[in-house]
Amino acid sequence: MLSHKELAGRSEFLACKRHMEDLHRPDFAYTFDYAEAEYHIDLANALVLGEGQEAQPLTLRGFQNFIVGSLFGWRRKRSKERRFREAYIQMGRQNGKSLLAGLMCNDFATFGGYRYGRIFCTATKLEQAKIVWNEVYKFLMSDPELAELYKVRKSYHNITSLVTGTEIKALGKDTKTIDGHRSILSVLDEYHGHRTNQMYKLMQDGQVGVSGALILAITTAGFDLNAPCYEHYRFCKQILSGAVSKETQFVYIAELDDDDDIWEPVSWAKANPLQLRNPDGTLNGTMVGRIAEKALEAREKQGDELKNFMTKTLNQWVSWSGDVFIDADKWLACGSARSLDAMHGRECYLGIDLSSGGDLTSIALVFPLEDDRAYVWSHSFMPELRLLEHEKTDEAPYRIWARSGLLTPTSGLYGIKTDYRAVIEMLRRLIAAHELNVICCGYDAHNASAFLADLDEVLDCDLVEVKQSARALNDATVDFQLGVKAGLIEYDRSNALMTWSMVNATTTANSFDEIKIEKKKMTKRIDAVDAVIDAYKLYFDDRKRKVDGEKNLAIWLKATGGTDM
């Protein structure tokens, strides 16, 4: 793999590189037990595959040996405690993820030595959770000798090892059945489909006091860039790159590289290590032909067919619907460690997006920097008695954002409607504490009439209505997109609420192909982005006037033969 001769992408290469470098790290807390790794690989290869016309012995491929060997072989020095407590495995569909999880369940249940433990096969729906559970069941039904070691209650989706008393159980989204239970292995199937990280955290909490426990997340890429899986995927990529160190997290990601041609079979093989790679590292011609048929259909139909091909077959994260406003990777690359404190005493433009009642209200500041760069900051407000309600409908962690200082719960107006006095008071404090010079304030006229008089008392600047039409917002919106793409926009990377809002936003166009932002659906709020664009439009217009003024002056001076005084 490290020779670059196999059909592997950079993420897979980095996973192997990490393993090899760890083997030679001086004073490393962990050691690799080759005999232990081989023992568990041999256990897996002793299983029988019953699906198909006739049963046949399981033979792990190289990448599967790497995964199994790593998870069981690495342990803490002078201890039997395994190193990895979390594993993230992402590859294209139909590449044996569920089979791999099933053989891990069998191993943990009977051959790991832990007595009376619990193993959970989980997913958002019970039918999905049963896929991994059924892999274990098929192993048992295909091998009478192995079946003698277990008691199966299929109607309860429960398999119990008669050797250790450990149970293997399939569970759906009803997380109450998991809460409070300890597990030695928890499999999270198709993690990309989880709207929140609740299931992951519940499994993690149940393993705190269990030595050698493992959370195994298996998935393909998904469509929701605000999902916890995408965040975890990016975190795992940072581990592979060496930017983040988490020694107890195993990562295996089979995916294309950024500059790969998505229509090339060699590229497909990077995301499909089982389907498209032969054991000797060459391309599987038969499977290439089948994938080529899917590629042809995706190329011709485009739209959702193409997105599904890219996501499920090529294992690439792609937004599902609408024209994406901001590329998530580009936006995250603009994040910095600088907070609002770094903008002390600077000029800025203020944007305000007011809710109609009990929803999200947001304010944003855009600070001009050197070299046409800009720093963006935002803060939001919500009635305190509506936080829990909106957490459920929006599937967003508003209470966590409130504790992090990104959101202010307002208590006035009985905590049901947003108290605009809290917005005014925060602006008053911000301007005074940071000695801000607000050049002008842009607002959406909707719901603003009763707010303007109070706002005018706080701000010593012009209040400008920003019309919410594609014609009015197009130039500023496009410039902001280009600014993010070029790395000219900067923001505090800890502002998860603003990032959530940015990823939620799509664009819509009028008949002149002028665009403005809109949200994917009612619960995908973009209020923080609305406020940012209102402020950015004022910044953009001022910058354009300055450039046009200098240009016109230069033309006039040239025409009159004058000099620039």
Side-chain angles (χ1 to χ4, degrees), residues 317-491:
W317 286 89
V318 181
S319 180
W320 173 251
S321 61
D323 295 317
V324 176
F325 170 52
I326 292 294
D327 181 278
D329 287 334
K330 297 293 185 183
W331 172 254
L332 292 171
C334 291
S336 79
R338 290 210 289 183
S339 68
L340 186 61
D341 293 337
M343 299 296 115
H344 190 90
R346 283 185 173 270
E347 293 183 341
C348 61
Y349 297 84
L350 171 65
I352 300 179
D353 184 76
L354 302 175
S355 67
S356 58
D359 296 335
L360 207 61
T361 285
S362 297
I363 61 175
L365 298 172
V366 173
F367 295 86
L369 302 176
E370 299 74 22
D371 302 322
D372 287 333
R373 296 172 61 252
Y375 183 88
V376 178
W377 175 91
S378 75
H379 188 85
S380 297
F381 305 80
M382 183 178 284
E384 61 181 358
L385 296 184
R386 305 292 296 276
L387 289 181
L388 187 58
E389 168 196 339
H390 284 303
E391 276 193 358
K392 294 177 179 177
T393 58
D394 302 358
E395 295 184 326
Y398 290 122
R399 286 177 295 176
I400 293 176
W401 289 339
R403 288 195 292 271
S404 301
L406 304 175
L407 171 70
T408 296
T410 63
S411 56
L413 301 177
Y414 307 102
I416 300 297
K417 296 183 68 177
T418 299
D419 185 0
Y420 294 150
R421 291 174 300 182
V423 180
I424 293 292
E425 183 55 34
M426 169 162 278
L427 285 172
R428 194 191 309 275
R429 292 199 310 270
L430 285 176
I431 293 170
H434 298 282
E435 298 183 354
L436 302 180
N437 178 15
V438 181
I439 298 172
C440 55
C441 170
Y443 66 91
D444 176 0
H446 186 62
N447 300 314
S449 57
F451 181 69
L452 292 179
D454 293 333
L455 189 60
D456 195 35
E457 290 184 8
V458 176
L459 301 176
D460 184 22
C461 68
D462 290 336
L463 305 183
V464 181
E465 178 186 347
V466 178
K467 295 186 180 298
Q468 302 298 300
S469 67
R471 172 159 294 184
L473 294 172
N474 176 75
D475 291 349
T477 302
V478 171
D479 192 75
F480 186 85
Q481 288 178 313
L482 294 174
V484 170
K485 189 174 183 179
L488 299 176
I489 303 297
E490 183 181 349
Y491 71 97

Side-chain angles (χ1 to χ4, degrees), residues 89-152:
I89 298 172
Q90 181 184 311
M91 60 185 88
R93 182 180 285 170
Q94 298 298 317
N95 279 278
K97 296 185 299 295
S98 298
L99 180 142
L100 190 65
L103 68 86
M104 293 289 292
C105 289
N106 170 65
D107 197 320
F108 267 73
T110 298
F111 304 97
Y114 194 97
R115 296 175 61 80
Y116 305 111
R118 286 194 175 188
I119 294 172
F120 294 132
C121 303
T122 71
T124 55
K125 297 180 180 179
L126 180 59
E127 285 303 308
Q128 181 69 44
K130 285 162 59 178
I131 291 176
V132 171
W133 188 90
N134 280 330
E135 290 295 333
V136 184
Y137 178 75
K138 287 188 292 185
F139 283 140
L140 305 188
M141 295 302 100
S142 304
D143 186 345
E145 292 184 3
L146 184 64
E148 291 180 0
L149 305 179
Y150 290 94
K151 177 181 178 181
V152 179

Side-chain angles (χ1 to χ4, degrees), residues 162-300:
L162 300 177
V163 177
T164 64
T166 294
E167 294 180 285
I168 305 171
K169 189 171 181 61
L171 295 171
K173 196 176 180 180
D174 181 11
T175 54
K176 292 180 181 178
T177 57
I178 303 177
D179 204 4
H181 290 306
R182 293 154 62 90
S183 71
I184 57 173
L185 172 64
S186 292
V187 178
L188 198 70
D189 196 10
E190 295 299 2
Y191 189 29
H192 73 86
H194 289 241
R195 297 291 185 86
T196 70
N197 65 352
Q198 182 184 19
M199 185 81 79
Y200 197 107
K201 292 303 179 185
L202 284 171
M203 292 191 296
Q204 207 168 33
D205 291 344
Q207 293 185 346
V208 170
V210 182
S211 177
L214 176 69
I215 293 175
L216 175 59
I218 58 174
T219 191
T220 57
F223 304 113
D224 189 352
L225 304 188
N226 261 326
C229 185
Y230 182 68
E231 182 181 10
H232 194 54
Y233 158 77
R234 287 189 56 83
F235 175 72
C236 288
K237 292 265 287 185
Q238 288 181 301
I239 292 174
L240 292 180
S241 70
V244 171
S245 177
K246 185 174 182 181
E247 306 295 2
T248 58
Q249 172 75 62
F250 174 79
V251 181
Y252 176 84
I253 300 173
E255 63 179 356
L256 278 66
D257 295 322
D258 291 340
D259 56 352
D260 282 338
D261 185 345
I262 68 170
W263 308 114
E264 283 292 331
V266 171
S267 301
W268 305 341
K270 293 182 179 181
N272 296 275
L274 183 65
Q275 281 195 346
L276 290 177
R277 301 183 207 168
N278 291 320
D280 62 359
T282 58
L283 275 174
N284 184 321
T286 301
M287 289 306 302
V288 165
R290 295 176 186 176
I291 300 297
E293 292 177 1
K294 296 171 66 175
L296 175 64
E297 189 170 0
R299 196 168 191 169
E300 292 300 317

